[in-house]
Amino acid sequence: MTHWSTRSLAKVAAERGLVPKIAHSTVSLILRTADLQPHRSRYWKTPTIDADFERRATRILWCYERASDLAARGEVVLCFDEKPNIQVLERRRPTRPVRRGQIEHQEFEYIRHGTVNFAAVLDVHTGKMRGWCPSRNDSEHLRAILPELLHECCNARRVHLIWDGAPSHVAQETTTLLRTLYPHVRVLVTPAHASWLNQAELLLRAFSERYLKRGSWNSRQQFVEHLNVSWREYDQLYAHPFRWSWTRQKMHRWVERHAA
């Protein structure tokens, strides 16, 4: 078996002679007492822990820890991330709304209307967001977004821009544009397989849960309009700074345990 339940554990325990007979409820009690949950699993991507990882992560965590102090002296910490190729799906039958004694029912079959890219930036200090729908997820279209993205920070003494190592982010054209037109922007790239250090990932997860889940759209244009309206509403109703608890000190202890 690749997935265990209390019933299957009880059956195998009896077959192997560990006990003459045992109820699955007793197995559940034993597992609960031992604080074991064999029925649960979670995906995990192990990052490469080396000097480069520690150096990059330290710089990003420093920004998160000092976001308020940096804002007080005119510096801004931004996190940027994309949600590429979101499928625009239309349900073949209207959704049956929730009613007394019955949950909402959504048609399983759907019609595809292409895909849409969504990019978002998060101001770490305020929790405010802005969003765009570039037609392609490449360096050319990212460079078209950057002037608008950085316009509100034109008077900042410094901008700390955090994003992952996607090809459009680390492309030579993108790097040249930032160095030439925006010398006050300090780019911080998350380590490989550690994009979870980017708070914009949390933002997109929270946004998707409220505005993309259970949706149905009859065209790509309708979906783009939905996104453009929704990120503004999210900004008004739900925007808040994330409570980020993973500090540099905790990271160094984690690195030491991993090395051991």
Side-chain angles (χ1 to χ4, degrees):
M1 291 187 183
T2 61
H3 182 78
W4 293 92
S5 66
T6 55
R7 283 183 169 81
S8 58
L9 284 169
K11 181 179 179 181
V12 170
E15 287 177 351
R16 295 187 180 181
L18 300 178
V19 290
K21 187 177 181 181
I22 188 170
H24 73 89
S25 57
T26 305
V27 174
S28 178
L29 180 61
I30 294 172
L31 293 174
R32 194 179 307 119
T33 304
D35 195 21
L36 295 173
Q37 302 179 53
H39 63 288
R40 297 186 63 196
S41 176
R42 180 177 296 165
Y43 284 112
W44 170 253
K45 178 64 179 180
T46 304
T48 301
I49 309 299
D50 53 17
D52 181 63
F53 175 94
E54 198 165 358
R55 175 180 57 82
R56 291 190 185 190
T58 297
R59 292 177 177 177
I60 293 171
L61 294 175
W62 179 86
C63 290
Y64 292 161
E65 292 173 36
R66 299 181 58 85
S68 298
D69 295 335
L70 292 171
R73 68 187 196 192
E75 299 187 27
V76 180
V77 180
L78 300 179
C79 292
F80 180 86
D81 198 18
E82 295 103 342
K83 195 175 179 68
N85 301 319
I86 307 171
Q87 291 194 69
V88 183
L89 304 179
E90 177 187 3
R91 299 296 157 180
R92 287 189 176 274
R93 297 290 184 275
T95 297
R96 297 178 182 177
V98 62
R99 61 184 62 182
R100 185 169 180 171
Q102 182 175 305
I103 64 171
E104 178 185 284
H105 281 66
Q106 190 174 56
E107 172 63 47
F108 177 78
E109 292 191 356
Y110 51 80
I111 304 169
R112 298 176 186 267
H113 295 292
T115 60
V116 169
N117 300 307
F118 184 60
V121 66
L122 168 74
D123 185 320
V124 172
H125 176 60
T126 64
K128 295 289 187 179
M129 75 171 290
R130 282 175 288 154
W132 297 267
C133 294
S135 55
R136 295 188 64 182
N137 188 31
D138 58 15
S139 175
E140 178 185 353
H141 291 79
L142 173 61
R143 296 197 309 272
I145 288 174
L146 285 175
E148 186 177 346
L149 188 156
L150 297 170
H151 176 72
E152 293 188 9
C153 308
C154 59
N155 295 323
R157 292 177 56 189
R158 198 170 197 186
V159 176
H160 306 268
L161 178 59
I162 299 168
W163 57 24
D164 59 32
S168 61
H169 302 167
V170 298
Q172 185 60 50
E173 295 84 355
T174 303
T175 303
T176 301
L177 175 69
L178 288 169
R179 287 178 178 173
T180 304
L181 300 182
Y182 307 100
H184 66 302
V185 175
R186 175 194 183 208
V187 177
L188 301 170
V189 180
T190 60
H193 307 307
S195 58
W196 42 267
L197 281 168
N198 185 353
Q199 288 192 15
E201 277 206 353
L202 297 177
L203 169 69
L204 286 174
R205 196 180 308 162
F207 175 84
S208 300
E209 187 70 18
R210 290 182 172 93
Y211 292 97
L212 301 185
K213 191 175 180 179
R214 292 157 57 178
S216 178
W217 296 274
N218 57 29
S219 70
R220 187 178 181 277
Q221 182 58 35
Q222 186 191 43
F223 185 64
V224 169
E225 292 171 358
H226 169 79
L227 286 171
N228 287 331
V229 171
S230 296
W231 74 256
R232 291 176 170 86
E233 181 178 286
Y234 178 94
D235 216 27
Q236 293 175 356
L237 300 180
Y238 302 110
H240 65 278
F242 287 104
R243 295 178 61 184
W244 187 267
S245 61
W246 210 56
T247 62
R248 287 171 291 168
Q249 185 179 12
K250 289 182 179 180
M251 182 202 67
H252 292 315
R253 290 201 298 264
W254 175 69
V255 169
E256 289 172 3
R257 289 199 307 271
H258 183 85

